[in-house]
Amino acid sequence: MNKKLWIAALLVTVMAVAAGCGSKPTAAPSPSQTQGAGTENNASEEQNETDITEPVTVDPEETTTTTGTNEGSTEGTTTPPGGTSSEKPGTSESNEKKSIDVYYTDLEELELHKAAAEISYASDDAKYKAAFAALQQSKDDKLVPLWAKEIELKSVQFKDGALTLDIHMPDTARLGAGGEVFAIDALKQTFFQFDEVKSLDLLVDGQPSESLMGHVDLEHPMTRSE
């Protein structure tokens, strides 16, 4: 009986001791442990902040400049549907040269003389203007032009074989009766050498004058004599 009481008392004592140990307060962490934990937390936060990357912003001016450069490099070129660029070929007129017969008179104004002249032209109208200009100048001192340089060729028209010349003649360019005859003959023989010219009409300031210089009647038009 006493033995059982002693065992029970021992058990109670053990249980009381065990209960006391279970309710014992946890010791506060040492300052070194607290500082270490804070360092680890700060390191983790810094690592997290380092891993975050801010978005890159492109400067609008740089974008505009690049776009302008690209657009500028494509300006001035035309790309057809086939995919190859083509350029419009330039057009240039080439002058044609021709040797013609031109008629002058002598120093005494006694005869009509033929001489060769070279003209350069790019069209039929330019050819007739060049032929008229050749009548106004001579490289030979013994051959005198019957059409003075003061005479202005205002216009040239050619259609269906009919050539029309419109001139302005100042009084200083007028000749006597003999010189007027030679001048008209020189004009006719110079222009009728062109096969396409079938008739020649000479106007003075746009009007069909009865006489060129007041001595000889002027036909409208003058025709080729076969």
Side-chain angles (χ1 to χ4, degrees):
M1 185 68 179
N2 293 331
K3 187 176 182 179
K4 290 181 179 181
L5 291 175
W6 182 80
I7 293 173
L10 181 61
L11 290 174
V12 172
T13 302
V14 172
M15 291 177 65
V17 172
C21 293
S23 60
K24 186 177 180 181
T26 304
S30 61
S32 60
Q33 292 178 349
T34 303
Q35 183 177 1
T39 304
E40 293 178 355
N41 293 334
N42 293 335
S44 299
E45 292 178 357
E46 292 178 357
Q47 182 175 3
N48 293 335
E49 292 179 357
T50 304
D51 294 338
I52 298 175
T53 304
E54 295 182 358
V56 178
T57 303
V58 179
D59 190 352
E61 295 182 357
E62 295 179 357
T63 305
T64 304
T65 303
T66 303
T67 304
T69 303
N70 293 335
E71 291 178 355
S73 61
T74 57
E75 290 180 358
T77 58
T78 303
T79 303
T84 58
S85 61
S86 60
E87 296 181 358
K88 184 178 180 181
T91 57
S92 60
E93 294 183 353
S94 58
N95 290 338
E96 182 178 350
K97 293 183 179 181
K98 184 179 180 67
S99 180
I100 62 172
D101 293 331
V102 186
Y103 295 84
Y104 308 98
T105 190
D106 49 59
L107 296 175
E108 289 77 20
E109 204 173 291
L110 298 175
E111 295 181 358
L112 200 63
H113 300 274
K114 180 176 68 174
E118 187 177 81
I119 60 175
S120 178
Y121 56 92
S123 64
D124 286 342
D125 287 352
K127 178 176 67 175
Y128 303 136
K129 291 179 180 179
F132 188 84
L135 282 170
Q136 296 178 293
Q137 54 189 339
S138 172
K139 296 180 179 180
D140 191 341
D141 295 338
K142 296 180 180 181
L143 299 177
V144 180
L146 293 158
W147 294 84
K149 292 184 178 181
E150 292 82 9
I151 301 175
E152 175 190 358
L153 179 59
K154 300 174 66 176
S155 67
V156 175
Q157 292 182 355
F158 179 76
K159 183 179 180 181
D160 299 332
L163 177 62
T164 302
L165 305 178
D166 185 13
I167 66 170
H168 171 71
M169 175 173 289
D171 293 338
T172 55
R174 299 181 184 276
L175 303 174
E180 183 177 359
V181 171
F182 286 150
I184 294 174
D185 286 345
L187 188 72
K188 292 169 60 176
Q189 294 190 51
T190 297
F191 283 97
F192 282 136
Q193 70 182 302
F194 302 123
D195 295 336
E196 70 275 12
V197 178
K198 306 302 180 184
S199 66
L200 174 63
D201 197 5
L202 183 63
L203 306 179
V204 179
D205 294 325
Q207 302 298 323
S209 178
E210 293 181 0
S211 177
L212 180 62
M213 300 177 184
H215 307 289
V216 180
D217 291 338
L218 187 60
E219 298 180 20
H220 298 284
M222 298 172 279
T223 57
R224 181 194 297 270
S225 58
E226 301 295 343

mmCIF file of all heavy atoms in Angstrom, residues 69-98:
data_model
loop_
_atom_site.group_PDB
_atom_site.id
_atom_site.type_symbol
_atom_site.label_atom_id
_atom_site.label_comp_id
_atom_site.label_asym_id
_atom_site.label_seq_id
_atom_site.Cartn_x
_atom_site.Cartn_y
_atom_site.Cartn_z
ATOM 1 N N THR A 69 15.210 59.514 -93.196
ATOM 2 C CA THR A 69 16.327 59.026 -93.993
ATOM 3 C C THR A 69 15.885 57.947 -94.944
ATOM 4 O O THR A 69 16.257 57.904 -96.106
ATOM 5 C CB THR A 69 17.440 58.494 -93.061
ATOM 6 O OG1 THR A 69 17.821 59.542 -92.179
ATOM 7 C CG2 THR A 69 18.636 58.023 -93.885
ATOM 8 N N ASN A 70 15.047 57.029 -94.421
ATOM 9 C CA ASN A 70 14.571 55.954 -95.272
ATOM 10 C C ASN A 70 13.710 56.486 -96.394
ATOM 11 O O ASN A 70 13.802 56.043 -97.533
ATOM 12 C CB ASN A 70 13.782 54.933 -94.433
ATOM 13 C CG ASN A 70 14.671 54.204 -93.452
ATOM 14 O OD1 ASN A 70 15.879 54.097 -93.677
ATOM 15 N ND2 ASN A 70 14.099 53.709 -92.361
ATOM 16 N N GLU A 71 12.841 57.465 -96.061
ATOM 17 C CA GLU A 71 11.994 58.015 -97.096
ATOM 18 C C GLU A 71 12.824 58.769 -98.123
ATOM 19 O O GLU A 71 12.574 58.716 -99.312
ATOM 20 C CB GLU A 71 10.956 58.952 -96.473
ATOM 21 C CG GLU A 71 9.918 58.212 -95.640
ATOM 22 C CD GLU A 71 8.927 59.174 -95.002
ATOM 23 O OE1 GLU A 71 9.128 60.394 -95.141
ATOM 24 O OE2 GLU A 71 7.962 58.691 -94.386
ATOM 25 N N GLY A 72 13.834 59.489 -97.634
ATOM 26 C CA GLY A 72 14.671 60.237 -98.556
ATOM 27 C C GLY A 72 15.426 59.340 -99.514
ATOM 28 O O GLY A 72 15.675 59.692 -100.654
ATOM 29 N N SER A 73 15.784 58.161 -99.049
ATOM 30 C CA SER A 73 16.554 57.267 -99.911
ATOM 31 C C SER A 73 15.702 56.690 -101.011
ATOM 32 O O SER A 73 16.219 56.218 -102.008
ATOM 33 C CB SER A 73 17.153 56.126 -99.071
ATOM 34 O OG SER A 73 16.123 55.373 -98.468
ATOM 35 N N THR A 74 14.349 56.717 -100.853
ATOM 36 C CA THR A 74 13.489 56.145 -101.864
ATOM 37 C C THR A 74 12.893 57.195 -102.770
ATOM 38 O O THR A 74 12.253 56.859 -103.759
ATOM 39 C CB THR A 74 12.346 55.366 -101.195
ATOM 40 O OG1 THR A 74 11.621 56.248 -100.321
ATOM 41 C CG2 THR A 74 12.896 54.196 -100.393
ATOM 42 N N GLU A 75 13.086 58.483 -102.430
ATOM 43 C CA GLU A 75 12.546 59.523 -103.279
ATOM 44 C C GLU A 75 13.367 59.609 -104.555
ATOM 45 O O GLU A 75 14.563 59.420 -104.572
ATOM 46 C CB GLU A 75 12.569 60.875 -102.559
ATOM 47 C CG GLU A 75 11.563 60.948 -101.422
ATOM 48 C CD GLU A 75 11.615 62.302 -100.741
ATOM 49 O OE1 GLU A 75 12.457 63.125 -101.144
ATOM 50 O OE2 GLU A 75 10.818 62.512 -99.820
ATOM 51 N N GLY A 76 12.669 59.975 -105.668
ATOM 52 C CA GLY A 76 13.355 60.165 -106.925
ATOM 53 C C GLY A 76 13.470 58.908 -107.761
ATOM 54 O O GLY A 76 13.925 58.952 -108.883
ATOM 55 N N THR A 77 13.071 57.768 -107.232
ATOM 56 C CA THR A 77 13.108 56.534 -107.988
ATOM 57 C C THR A 77 11.696 56.014 -108.120
ATOM 58 O O THR A 77 10.904 56.073 -107.185
ATOM 59 C CB THR A 77 13.977 55.464 -107.299
ATOM 60 O OG1 THR A 77 13.470 55.227 -105.993
ATOM 61 C CG2 THR A 77 15.416 55.958 -107.212
ATOM 62 N N THR A 78 11.371 55.509 -109.276
ATOM 63 C CA THR A 78 10.048 54.961 -109.540
ATOM 64 C C THR A 78 10.175 53.472 -109.745
ATOM 65 O O THR A 78 10.946 53.018 -110.586
ATOM 66 C CB THR A 78 9.445 55.602 -110.795
ATOM 67 O OG1 THR A 78 9.411 57.015 -110.597
ATOM 68 C CG2 THR A 78 8.045 55.067 -111.050
ATOM 69 N N THR A 79 9.427 52.731 -108.982
ATOM 70 C CA THR A 79 9.477 51.276 -109.073
ATOM 71 C C THR A 79 8.226 50.786 -109.759
ATOM 72 O O THR A 79 7.123 50.921 -109.229
ATOM 73 C CB THR A 79 9.572 50.644 -107.678
ATOM 74 O OG1 THR A 79 10.724 51.172 -107.024
ATOM 75 C CG2 THR A 79 9.695 49.123 -107.800
ATOM 76 N N PRO A 80 8.312 50.283 -110.971
ATOM 77 C CA PRO A 80 7.135 49.772 -111.659
ATOM 78 C C PRO A 80 6.670 48.481 -111.040
ATOM 79 O O PRO A 80 7.343 47.895 -110.188
ATOM 80 C CB PRO A 80 7.661 49.564 -113.097
ATOM 81 C CG PRO A 80 9.131 49.356 -112.917
ATOM 82 C CD PRO A 80 9.530 50.180 -111.734
ATOM 83 N N PRO A 81 5.453 47.989 -111.472
ATOM 84 C CA PRO A 81 4.925 46.735 -110.881
ATOM 85 C C PRO A 81 5.880 45.575 -110.990
ATOM 86 O O PRO A 81 5.856 44.656 -110.199
ATOM 87 C CB PRO A 81 3.641 46.510 -111.698
ATOM 88 C CG PRO A 81 3.237 47.879 -112.153
ATOM 89 C CD PRO A 81 4.521 48.615 -112.380
ATOM 90 N N GLY A 82 6.747 45.574 -111.997
ATOM 91 C CA GLY A 82 7.677 44.454 -112.158
ATOM 92 C C GLY A 82 8.734 44.395 -111.088
ATOM 93 O O GLY A 82 9.407 43.385 -110.922
ATOM 94 N N GLY A 83 8.947 45.508 -110.348
ATOM 95 C CA GLY A 83 9.898 45.501 -109.253
ATOM 96 C C GLY A 83 11.234 46.108 -109.593
ATOM 97 O O GLY A 83 12.105 46.205 -108.760
ATOM 98 N N THR A 84 11.438 46.553 -110.832
ATOM 99 C CA THR A 84 12.710 47.160 -111.207
ATOM 100 C C THR A 84 12.490 48.638 -111.446
ATOM 101 O O THR A 84 11.486 49.042 -112.034
ATOM 102 C CB THR A 84 13.281 46.503 -112.478
ATOM 103 O OG1 THR A 84 12.324 46.644 -113.532
ATOM 104 C CG2 THR A 84 13.574 45.041 -112.231
ATOM 105 N N SER A 85 13.421 49.457 -111.001
ATOM 106 C CA SER A 85 13.285 50.901 -111.168
ATOM 107 C C SER A 85 13.696 51.271 -112.573
ATOM 108 O O SER A 85 14.562 50.652 -113.179
ATOM 109 C CB SER A 85 14.164 51.635 -110.151
ATOM 110 O OG SER A 85 15.520 51.293 -110.341
ATOM 111 N N SER A 86 13.019 52.293 -113.088
ATOM 112 C CA SER A 86 13.313 52.744 -114.440
ATOM 113 C C SER A 86 13.412 54.248 -114.436
ATOM 114 O O SER A 86 12.740 54.925 -113.676
ATOM 115 C CB SER A 86 12.219 52.294 -115.417
ATOM 116 O OG SER A 86 10.967 52.824 -115.018
ATOM 117 N N GLU A 87 14.239 54.788 -115.309
ATOM 118 C CA GLU A 87 14.406 56.214 -115.460
ATOM 119 C C GLU A 87 13.987 56.606 -116.865
ATOM 120 O O GLU A 87 14.231 55.884 -117.825
ATOM 121 C CB GLU A 87 15.863 56.631 -115.220
ATOM 122 C CG GLU A 87 16.333 56.379 -113.798
ATOM 123 C CD GLU A 87 17.762 56.833 -113.611
ATOM 124 O OE1 GLU A 87 18.339 57.294 -114.619
ATOM 125 O OE2 GLU A 87 18.279 56.713 -112.498
ATOM 126 N N LYS A 88 13.347 57.799 -116.955
ATOM 127 C CA LYS A 88 12.914 58.281 -118.254
ATOM 128 C C LYS A 88 14.120 58.784 -119.023
ATOM 129 O O LYS A 88 14.843 59.645 -118.557
ATOM 130 C CB LYS A 88 11.903 59.416 -118.068
ATOM 131 C CG LYS A 88 11.319 59.915 -119.388
ATOM 132 C CD LYS A 88 10.291 60.992 -119.120
ATOM 133 C CE LYS A 88 9.697 61.516 -120.421
ATOM 134 N NZ LYS A 88 8.702 62.572 -120.195
ATOM 135 N N PRO A 89 14.356 58.226 -120.208
ATOM 136 C CA PRO A 89 15.538 58.665 -120.953
ATOM 137 C C PRO A 89 15.395 60.100 -121.396
ATOM 138 O O PRO A 89 14.315 60.574 -121.753
ATOM 139 C CB PRO A 89 15.559 57.695 -122.152
ATOM 140 C CG PRO A 89 14.140 57.255 -122.300
ATOM 141 C CD PRO A 89 13.580 57.221 -120.900
ATOM 142 N N GLY A 90 16.498 60.838 -121.347
ATOM 143 C CA GLY A 90 16.476 62.222 -121.773
ATOM 144 C C GLY A 90 16.422 62.312 -123.286
ATOM 145 O O GLY A 90 16.906 61.441 -124.012
ATOM 146 N N THR A 91 15.765 63.359 -123.782
ATOM 147 C CA THR A 91 15.648 63.565 -125.204
ATOM 148 C C THR A 91 16.521 64.738 -125.604
ATOM 149 O O THR A 91 16.554 65.773 -124.969
ATOM 150 C CB THR A 91 14.186 63.849 -125.584
ATOM 151 O OG1 THR A 91 13.728 64.979 -124.845
ATOM 152 C CG2 THR A 91 13.300 62.641 -125.263
ATOM 153 N N SER A 92 17.240 64.605 -126.653
ATOM 154 C CA SER A 92 18.099 65.670 -127.136
ATOM 155 C C SER A 92 17.979 65.739 -128.647
ATOM 156 O O SER A 92 17.930 64.719 -129.333
ATOM 157 C CB SER A 92 19.559 65.438 -126.743
ATOM 158 O OG SER A 92 20.012 64.217 -127.283
ATOM 159 N N GLU A 93 17.911 66.971 -129.164
ATOM 160 C CA GLU A 93 17.818 67.171 -130.593
ATOM 161 C C GLU A 93 19.224 67.244 -131.173
ATOM 162 O O GLU A 93 20.081 67.960 -130.674
ATOM 163 C CB GLU A 93 17.051 68.468 -130.883
ATOM 164 C CG GLU A 93 15.586 68.409 -130.454
ATOM 165 C CD GLU A 93 14.849 69.683 -130.827
ATOM 166 O OE1 GLU A 93 15.526 70.627 -131.294
ATOM 167 O OE2 GLU A 93 13.617 69.730 -130.667
ATOM 168 N N SER A 94 19.423 66.520 -132.291
ATOM 169 C CA SER A 94 20.714 66.535 -132.956
ATOM 170 C C SER A 94 20.578 67.359 -134.230
ATOM 171 O O SER A 94 19.646 67.187 -135.010
ATOM 172 C CB SER A 94 21.162 65.103 -133.280
ATOM 173 O OG SER A 94 20.195 64.457 -134.093
ATOM 174 N N ASN A 95 21.489 68.282 -134.438
ATOM 175 C CA ASN A 95 21.461 69.141 -135.613
ATOM 176 C C ASN A 95 21.956 68.386 -136.837
ATOM 177 O O ASN A 95 22.921 67.624 -136.779
ATOM 178 C CB ASN A 95 22.320 70.383 -135.378
ATOM 179 C CG ASN A 95 21.693 71.320 -134.372
ATOM 180 O OD1 ASN A 95 20.490 71.291 -134.150
ATOM 181 N ND2 ASN A 95 22.512 72.164 -133.766
ATOM 182 N N GLU A 96 21.283 68.622 -137.957
ATOM 183 C CA GLU A 96 21.679 68.032 -139.233
ATOM 184 C C GLU A 96 22.369 69.100 -140.071
ATOM 185 O O GLU A 96 21.939 70.257 -140.096
ATOM 186 C CB GLU A 96 20.451 67.488 -139.965
ATOM 187 C CG GLU A 96 20.778 66.811 -141.278
ATOM 188 C CD GLU A 96 19.559 66.239 -141.959
ATOM 189 O OE1 GLU A 96 18.499 66.204 -141.306
ATOM 190 O OE2 GLU A 96 19.667 65.832 -143.135
ATOM 191 N N LYS A 97 23.420 68.721 -140.754
ATOM 192 C CA LYS A 97 24.158 69.666 -141.580
ATOM 193 C C LYS A 97 23.904 69.375 -143.053
ATOM 194 O O LYS A 97 23.787 68.223 -143.457
ATOM 195 C CB LYS A 97 25.658 69.597 -141.266
ATOM 196 C CG LYS A 97 26.011 70.094 -139.871
ATOM 197 C CD LYS A 97 27.504 70.083 -139.641
ATOM 198 C CE LYS A 97 27.855 70.612 -138.261
ATOM 199 N NZ LYS A 97 29.322 70.630 -138.019
ATOM 200 N N LYS A 98 23.832 70.449 -143.840
ATOM 201 C CA LYS A 98 23.534 70.294 -145.259
ATOM 202 C C LYS A 98 24.225 71.408 -146.039
ATOM 203 O O LYS A 98 24.257 72.554 -145.597
ATOM 204 C CB LYS A 98 22.016 70.367 -145.491
ATOM 205 C CG LYS A 98 21.592 70.130 -146.937
ATOM 206 C CD LYS A 98 20.071 70.207 -147.021
ATOM 207 C CE LYS A 98 19.605 69.965 -148.455
ATOM 208 N NZ LYS A 98 19.866 68.559 -148.888
#
